[in-house]
Each structure stands twice: as structure tokens, then as C-alpha cells.
Amino acid sequence: MASDSGGVTRRLPPPYDANPELGALVVGEDELRQRVAELGRQITADYAGGQLLLVGVLKGAFVFMSDLCRAIDLPVEFDFMAVASYGSSTRTSGVVRIVKDLDLDLAGRHVLLVEDIVDSGLTLSYLRRNLLARQPASLAVCSLLVREGEGVDDLNLTYTGFRISPDFVVGYGLDLDQRYRNLPFVCTVAGGSETDRRS
Ligand code: IMP
Ligand code: MG
């Protein structure tokens, strides 16, 4: 869907191409804008006549969520949750600690969980269980990015922006040690490896 399919490396637009820490373009600004608009239309149609509670997973989802919500033409409420995962810096263990819990009661609400990226899916499966226990009227998941491979088909993602290759990526909310969340596109980091994953 995105990126360097066919093995073609896409260069970053200037002035970002001069940054030696950044690698290749994975999802460009125009592609993000178009896909977010499509997701917004789809969500608007799927929940027509209803109300929606968007739950963003901090910090990574805040950029995507702020664009997505403006592409949804429905009464929308917002809440946020922050999680930290135990385990090594390169791999989530699936044991997740809630750093900031929701303010709203989910009971009876139609909840759409908004994520930046689903990698192993361990964080998502924890969050799904946690949120379902609060008895929402429904629970769906929208992730901007999904990393290809590893059991992603089992994750029951309702809405997906782009499927991407194993490289570590930054931008549009995603960080490398808290930096680069404000890049207007998604790109790899120079010399980044598949296993170099921090959240
Ligand atoms: P999972 O539990 O393995 O699915 O990990 C998901 C979380 O890991 C995401 O919400 C991100 O915070 C972080 N993460 C995974 N891959 C990347 C990446 O390529 N860049 C930035 N953060 C990432
Ligand atoms: Mg995250």
C-alpha cells in the first residue's frame, strides 16, 4: 500500500533530506491526507446516525487522531489513554501499564480506539481486553500503520491506514526517543533496523 514497494527508495522532501538521521520516505504528506480523508468518510458512513467516542493512545496517536477527527462528520467525544509496556527496549512484552487512564465511562458508548502503529499487536490486545471489560456498546480499532508479518491478520483491526515493512519509522506522531513526532510524513531512520524499536 505505502512506500518502497518494488524496492524503490523514496527520497525525503527538502529540507528533511539533509538530515543524516532520517532515511527513506514511507508515507508522504499527500498520501496521509488522502487516506485519512478516506478513513474519515468510511467511519462516518459506518456510524451514521450515531455518536462516537474516540480514544487515542498517547503519545503516538495524537497527530493522526487530530486529523482523523476532522475527517469524521459525526458528533464525536474524545478521551486519551497513555500506556507503557514492560520488557526490553526492542520488544514489547505485552505486559502493559496504564500511565494515564480514561476520564470517561465507556459503558454504552461506541468506542473507536485510535493507534499510531500496531507492531506485534501485544499492546493492542491488552488494550482491547481492558476496554471491553468496561462494557462499551461497541469497540472498533483504527491504526494508522500496521507492520506486515506476524499474525497481524488475527488482530481484527477495523480500520487500517497503511501496511508497512519491518523498518522502524518516525513522523506523524511516531518518535525516536521522543523526537520527530512533528514530521509531516512517515519515514525510516538512517541505518535503522527491524529490531531497533522504542516507543
Ligand atoms: P506492539 O505492542 O508491538 O504492537 O507495539 C506497539 C507500540 O510500539 C506502538 O504503539 C509504538 O509506540 C511502538 N512502536 C512500534 N513500532 C514503532 C516504530 O516503527 N516507530 C515508533 N514507535 C513504534
Ligand atoms: Mg504507541
Side-chain angles (χ1 to χ4, degrees):
M1 205 178 252
S3 89
D4 50 12
S5 44
V8 180
T9 300
R10 297 163 67 197
R11 281 185 69 96
L12 296 182
Y16 305 98
D17 57 345
N19 185 334
E21 213 176 19
L22 299 179
L25 188 68
V26 176
V27 189
E29 245 184 299
D30 289 348
E31 294 167 278
L32 284 167
R33 199 175 304 112
Q34 271 178 32
R35 186 70 186 124
V36 169
E38 278 171 19
L39 289 170
R41 279 194 294 273
Q42 201 182 336
I43 291 165
T44 303
D46 291 352
Y47 290 87
Q51 290 204 26
L52 192 55
L53 171 63
L54 294 182
V55 170
V57 183
L58 296 173
K59 301 172 194 172
F62 84 100
V63 177
F64 174 44
M65 185 151 143
S66 92
D67 283 343
L68 181 67
C69 72
R70 285 174 287 177
I72 297 174
D73 184 16
L74 291 172
V76 169
E77 296 177 309
F78 296 86
D79 210 341
F80 295 92
M81 200 166 179
V83 297
S85 55
Y86 292 107
S88 75
S89 63
T90 55
R91 210 75 192 134
T92 34
S93 64
V95 182
V96 173
R97 183 168 55 95
I98 294 177
V99 177
K100 183 221 169 287
D101 204 351
L102 299 173
D103 296 327
L104 300 175
D105 182 1
L106 299 192
R109 286 184 157 103
H110 292 285
V111 175
L112 179 60
L113 183 68
V114 181
E115 264 280 26
D116 52 356
I117 182 167
V118 174
D119 182 10
S120 67
L122 291 170
T123 304
L124 178 59
S125 67
Y126 170 84
L127 285 176
R128 194 196 291 279
R129 260 179 286 125
N130 185 288
L131 297 185
L132 281 174
R134 307 181 199 203
Q135 307 194 305
S138 67
L139 176 64
V141 182
C142 179
S143 184
L144 174 69
L145 305 173
V146 176
R147 212 183 295 281
E148 264 163 2
E150 308 179 48
V152 162
D153 291 343
D154 306 329
L155 294 173
N156 276 317
L157 287 169
T158 325
Y159 307 97
T160 299
F162 301 90
R163 301 175 80 88
I164 63 162
S165 64
D167 303 312
F168 189 87
V169 292
V170 294
Y172 203 65
L174 292 102
D175 72 305
L176 172 66
D177 294 339
Q178 302 303 325
R179 292 178 305 132
Y180 296 127
R181 295 191 195 275
N182 60 328
L183 295 178
F185 46 75
V186 176
C187 67
T188 61
V189 289
S193 82
E194 193 176 323
T195 48
D196 184 21
R197 274 171 210 165
R198 287 158 268 192
S199 66

